[in-house]
Amino acid sequence: MHSILLTGGAGFIGSHLTRLFVNKYPNYKIVNLDKLTYAGNLENLTDIEHLPNYTFVKGDITDLELLRKLFKEHQFTAVLHCAAESHVDRSITDPLAFVTTNVLGTSSLLLAAKEYWAGKYEGKIFYHISTDEVYGSLGEEGFFTEDTAYDPRSPYSASKASSDHMVRAFYHTYQMPVKLSNCSNNYGPYHFPEKLIPLCIHNIINNKPLPIYGKGENVRDWLFVEDHARAIDVIFHKGKIGETYNIGGHNEWTNIALVKELCRQMDEKLGREEGTSEKLITYVKDRAGHDLRYAIDATKLKDELGWMPSLQFEEGISKTIDWYLQNKKWLDDVTSGNYQKYYEAQYEKR
Ligand code: NAD
Ligand code: DAU
């Protein structure tokens, strides 16, 4: 039995995690605290929002007074911390937004939990969800393990690395019962179309250019988002306090090969002549400081907790494309900004 403060539940990964926990653990109480930035979309949760073990609170994780009030009101026994500014390109244009939410926000949550739990840590968990980008950039060989030294290179990854350090500092200094995971690139339904895969799906549907940064030779390790949520569930329940677990798909693609695969599958699904969508590929100026390659060694998670990805990439990407084709309203609402009216209609007028 847990009362969980889940932050960022209206975002991409957060919504899958919320759905998994609310459905799988009807005796847990899940409070989703989300600021509803441009990336937060309550339409991601319409299928579970009516369930009795789910509550939504609109608020900012940097608001310490709000956090204190929520801890008292809901007597949280655990935190699942997903809220973050998450897009590397945005961190290049507005780094302070990333420092504010990712560093100050995480530190505020840690402090609120420390104050409320007041040293009574039996049965408590502070789970921090992080990224493989904290480890920096790989060459053509090798993998990130849990022991790889931190070497963040973008304002986004530097802010996430900082937040990881604060979480570990609370473990060592105050014995806060923390768990961390660092995951590779996720893909799947409800992914905001500023990120490579949903952006390309949206543009292929609309016959718009597919912008490839630089030469398209950068490599990412892609994992289906529901597999990430399953891994978090396993670590939350069985992982050791104070430990970090890497989560990855063992599924590396160069950006150009990935986009070509998307084009191939979408031509087939849209009944277009083979090669049609590939003509939309457009090479554009590279991302500043663009990390060459990320690849995760997830052996620890497999050996200690038995987790493995469940979906092969070709199947996962096919499922993802089908979801976007069947949910054009979601995509239209997100790209037109209409999704931001959902909160008003659903909550403010009540
Ligand atoms: P996202 O951008 O889709 O969602 C972030 C959510 O956090 C949104 O709902 C947003 O409204 C909310 N939020 C932002 N600032 C907030 C604040 N100050 N207070 C309260 N809520 C706030 O992000 P995502 O891609 O789902 O990533 C979720 C977490 O997983 C992040 O911590 C990210 O670093 C990590 N992660 C993401 C990936 C990936 O591929 N997307 C991979 C590994 C780790
Ligand atoms: O590795 C985990 C990280 O993966 C997460 O921590 C981040 O939150 C998440 O956004 C993601 O970061 P990336 O920068 O790898 O994802 P993105 O989808 O932005 O880009 C994937 C690759 O595609 C990257 O090499 C940049 C490139 N790209 C991206 C966009 C948006 C393009 O070539 N063109 C584009 O238009």
Side-chain angles (χ1 to χ4, degrees):
M1 175 67 191
H2 269 296
S3 172
I4 302 180
L5 172 59
L6 194 158
T7 69
F12 168 47
I13 295 168
S15 61
H16 287 276
L17 193 58
T18 304
R19 179 172 298 101
L20 176 70
F21 269 68
V22 166
N23 284 326
K24 188 168 173 188
Y25 303 107
N27 59 333
Y28 288 7
K29 197 166 94 176
I30 312 291
V31 177
N32 170 15
L33 172 64
D34 197 299
K35 185 180 175 182
L36 299 185
T37 66
Y38 80 93
N41 182 356
L42 288 175
E43 284 185 32
N44 297 356
L45 292 166
T46 46
D47 55 327
I48 56 113
E49 67 184 4
H50 60 284
L51 293 175
N53 61 336
Y54 171 75
T55 308
F56 173 70
V57 176
K58 184 176 181 203
D60 193 320
I61 56 165
T62 63
D63 183 347
L64 190 53
E65 283 316 308
L66 171 67
L67 298 178
R68 286 179 173 136
K69 183 175 138 299
L70 291 175
F71 264 90
K72 265 196 199 136
E73 192 182 330
H74 298 282
Q75 299 167 19
F76 295 125
T77 56
V79 176
L80 269 172
H81 177 33
C82 220
E85 287 293 342
S86 71
H87 191 36
V88 174
D89 292 324
R90 286 182 190 255
S91 83
I92 295 167
T93 49
D94 186 9
L96 284 189
F98 286 68
V99 174
T100 306
T101 287
N102 299 355
V103 187
L104 186 60
T106 302
S107 307
S108 305
L109 275 169
L110 285 161
L111 196 57
K114 175 184 168 290
E115 284 177 8
Y116 182 73
W117 291 339
K120 293 186 190 115
Y121 288 139
E122 183 68 34
K124 311 291 194 303
I125 303 169
F126 188 106
Y127 189 134
H128 178 59
I129 289 149
S130 195
T131 171
D132 61 356
E133 298 199 13
V134 298
Y135 298 123
S137 182
L138 290 166
E140 281 172 16
E141 308 259 302
F143 295 91
F144 299 133
T145 72
E146 288 79 2
D147 297 325
T148 302
Y150 274 32
D151 184 22
R153 296 147 52 101
S154 74
Y156 164 67
S157 52
S159 69
K160 290 295 294 187
S162 270
S163 66
D164 293 11
H165 290 321
M166 283 306 281
V167 172
R168 292 197 186 97
F170 269 63
Y171 170 67
H172 290 291
T173 310
Y174 309 114
Q175 295 76 52
M176 171 79 73
V178 306
K179 297 184 185 187
L180 295 91
S181 55
N182 294 78
C183 188
S184 64
N185 285 60
N186 286 212
Y187 70 96
Y190 303 110
H191 204 182
F192 196 84
E194 64 183 353
K195 308 273 170 78
L196 181 69
I197 289 182
L199 183 140
C200 286
I201 293 176
H202 178 249
N203 287 9
I204 291 171
I205 294 172
N206 294 292
N207 278 307
K208 285 165 69 176
L210 307 176
I212 305 292
Y213 297 164
K215 293 183 180 157
E217 284 166 358
N218 305 68
V219 174
R220 297 292 181 264
D221 169 4
W222 293 94
L223 178 69
F224 192 61
V225 62
E226 289 176 13
D227 276 333
H228 185 188
R230 271 197 316 108
I232 294 171
D233 179 18
V234 170
I235 296 164
F236 180 85
H237 287 98
K238 297 195 199 146
K240 288 195 201 115
I241 295 293
E243 296 267 326
T244 294
Y245 297 85
N246 279 355
I247 310 172
H250 254 284
N251 176 44
E252 293 182 48
W253 288 75
T254 61
N255 294 336
I256 188 63
L258 170 64
V259 171
K260 284 186 177 169
E261 173 64 13
L262 269 180
C263 290
R264 190 190 64 74
Q265 288 208 21
M266 287 199 66
D267 280 348
E268 224 173 85
K269 288 177 194 286
L270 293 168
R272 292 179 183 168
E273 195 183 321
E274 203 185 321
T276 308
S277 300
E278 261 196 47
K279 293 194 187 113
L280 298 169
I281 289 175
T282 310
Y283 291 92
V284 299
K285 186 167 176 268
D286 209 352
R287 172 184 279 173
H290 199 171
D291 288 339
L292 177 67
R293 175 171 167 255
Y294 307 140
I296 280 278
D297 178 345
T299 308
K300 176 178 175 182
L301 185 53
K302 178 169 165 262
D303 287 356
E304 291 186 12
L305 304 181
W307 176 91
M308 298 249 287
S310 71
L311 272 192
Q312 292 298 313
F313 187 68
E314 281 75 5
E315 190 188 345
I317 202 71
S318 168
K319 229 173 131 168
T320 303
I321 297 168
D322 289 345
W323 185 87
Y324 280 95
L325 293 175
Q326 286 153 16
N327 289 274
K328 283 219 178 87
K329 183 180 173 317
W330 184 92
L331 202 49
D332 289 345
D333 281 355
V334 170
T335 44
S336 68
N338 265 344
Y339 70 105
Q340 282 167 327
K341 294 186 186 139
Y342 183 83
Y343 176 76
E344 207 184 308
Q346 204 49 22
Y347 292 91
E348 282 184 346
K349 288 186 185 144
R350 278 190 178 173

